[in-house]
Amino acid sequence: MNVLVIGSGGREHTLVWKISRSPKVSNIYCIPGNGGTGAGAQSAEIAVNDFEALTGFVKEKNVGLTVVGPEIPLVKGIVDYFQQKGLAIFGPDRKSAQLEGSKVFSKKFMKKHGIPTADFKVFSNAGDALSYVDGVRGDSFSVVIKADGLAAGKGVIVCDSKKEAADAVKRIMEAREFESAGDSIIMEDKLTGEEASMMAFCDGRTIVSMVSSQDHKQAFDGDKGPNTGGMGAYAPAPVVTEDINNKVKTQVFDKFLKGIREEKIDFKGIIYAGIMIDKGEVNVLEFNVRFGDPETQVVLPLLKTDIVEIMEAVVDGKLEDVKVEWNKGACVCVVVASGGYPARYEKGKLISGLEEASGIDGLTVFHAGTKLDGGVLSWGGRVLGVTGVTEDLKGAIELAYEGVGRIKFENMYYRKDIGWKGVKHGK
Ligand code: AMP
Ligand code: GLY
């Protein structure tokens, strides 16, 4: 079978790498792809939102399964479009994708179906939100303000005073920093604890959890600095103990499944719960309807079962029939970024040492913002995900940093402490 992966990040390179290991696959394509996907998959210059051109490509190349990486085409209804043309596609339809596309929809879903999440209020005009903030007694006020719609992960502002909250409302609803994503906002209680990512395969009737993982969202060591798309990840995350895993199953995923059935949401694809763990309790911070990035880079290398078998079963509503198995061991991905990211950075720097790094046993370099042009050039904020798999977390950290040590490009930047939180848990 021929497979198409849609997207161009580290997540998509990892999907190409994993899918190409399936004995079921003959040719693999990645659109638009990056400088690394080209090694395993052919690419084409089609935008991820050009559904007509994408279905044209799929028919021309006789693609039997399309896998969608990013959220925007999902929220725009790529799955419905493919289904109407009778083409097999892995991912949730437009109705299901609202669980990520609208934070108001998602929070209301959680509340209605008893999924633990921070208490919240919804505002659809700035005046109401500002008078609410103004009416709060005292000056200490810890809330998180979230633009309703998609804002490339940037529409969430954590506030610790009434002034910060009022400023956030003005930025989102008056200055329109995130455009129409700020038509409505969520104002929710600020939670404390440790975050983890839980992804699961879901075919609308059965839900199968993946190994836990943990992202490192802040730019600098010690979780300091601005939020980024993710500076590294590791799996499994020891903070997700067996007890927490059970709570995620019963309080989050089982209730999610019951909820989508009641709401007649035919969810097929990946459901990702960003969770906060505090004193043994779990709260959901957000749902995403796709693989996480960079969580995918650390979770898929541990998957033992053929991913194409799982994806086909999800599309056909037969996930119940597949035994999803995981390898023992740990995986760490260190993101190598362009200096300056997440703010302004330069592109087009020649990258050396990729082959030397990939030659290390147990190490894979996933490309994100790269481009082939003579050599491999940096072409985005997050450039590479240097990923090591071995039997334990400490070993995987060492392996990943050994790989990073062989790679060079001008102004490259990476965090030095990826995985340390897991080690602190004593694993
Ligand atoms: P979200 O996109 O909703 O996951 O939010 C992005 C990030 O904001 C999360 O990964 C958390 O670090 C932080 N965050 C979101 N909601 C809360 C909350 N209720 N309390 C504390 N931090 C939060
Ligand atoms: N790593 C967070 C995300 O994929 O949304």
Side-chain angles (χ1 to χ4, degrees), residues 53-214:
L54 288 169
T55 48
F57 181 92
V58 159
K59 285 183 194 152
E60 184 195 319
K61 301 289 183 188
N62 196 20
V63 168
L65 178 68
T66 297
V67 178
V68 188
E71 60 276 18
I72 292 177
L74 292 169
V75 170
K76 290 199 165 160
I78 191 171
V79 169
D80 311 60
Y81 192 92
F82 271 58
Q83 282 170 346
Q84 277 154 21
K85 298 203 178 302
L87 301 169
I89 182 161
F90 178 85
D93 62 12
R94 189 183 193 145
K95 187 173 179 194
S96 310
Q98 288 179 90
L99 285 159
E100 176 164 358
S102 164
K103 291 200 186 278
V104 173
F105 180 90
S106 189
K107 289 288 287 192
K108 286 185 174 164
F109 176 91
M110 290 187 228
K111 189 169 181 191
K112 181 167 174 197
H113 298 287
I115 295 171
T117 191
D119 281 340
F120 67 100
K121 291 188 168 51
V122 179
F123 295 98
S124 46
N125 75 68
D128 290 351
L130 290 170
S131 30
Y132 176 79
V133 172
D134 195 44
V136 171
R137 285 207 201 146
D139 202 39
S140 73
F141 183 46
S142 287
V143 283
V144 181
I145 296 185
K146 304 183 174 183
D148 175 41
L150 290 181
K154 297 190 185 98
V156 174
I157 305 173
V158 180
C159 310
D160 285 309
S161 67
K162 282 166 67 171
K163 177 166 184 323
E164 282 177 19
D167 287 347
V169 170
K170 288 178 193 158
R171 277 173 60 190
I172 300 176
M173 303 192 92
E174 289 180 352
R176 293 275 154 170
E177 217 168 282
F178 312 106
E179 300 169 13
S180 65
D183 285 350
S184 299
I185 56 164
I186 295 279
M187 204 180 283
E188 71 177 42
D189 292 350
K190 182 179 162 188
L191 302 174
T192 50
E194 191 170 339
E195 284 181 54
S197 307
M198 298 296 299
M199 299 191 283
F201 297 102
C202 178
D203 70 351
R205 293 189 299 175
T206 304
I207 192 158
V208 178
S209 202
M210 302 189 210
V211 294
S212 60
S213 57
Q214 194 174 53

Side-chain angles (χ1 to χ4, degrees), residues 215-226 415 417 420-421:
D215 190 2
H216 296 65
K217 286 191 200 294
Q218 290 87 1
F220 309 133
D221 287 2
D223 289 344
K224 302 266 167 36
R415 271 179 66 161
D417 63 347
W420 66 271
K421 273 194 207 164

Side-chain angles (χ1 to χ4, degrees), residues 11 197 215 217 229-230 272 286 288 290-295:
R11 163 184 54 208
S197 307
D215 190 2
K217 286 191 200 294
Y272 162 133
E286 65 168 338
N288 293 325
R290 48 157 178 93
F291 281 107
D293 189 342
E295 288 91 334

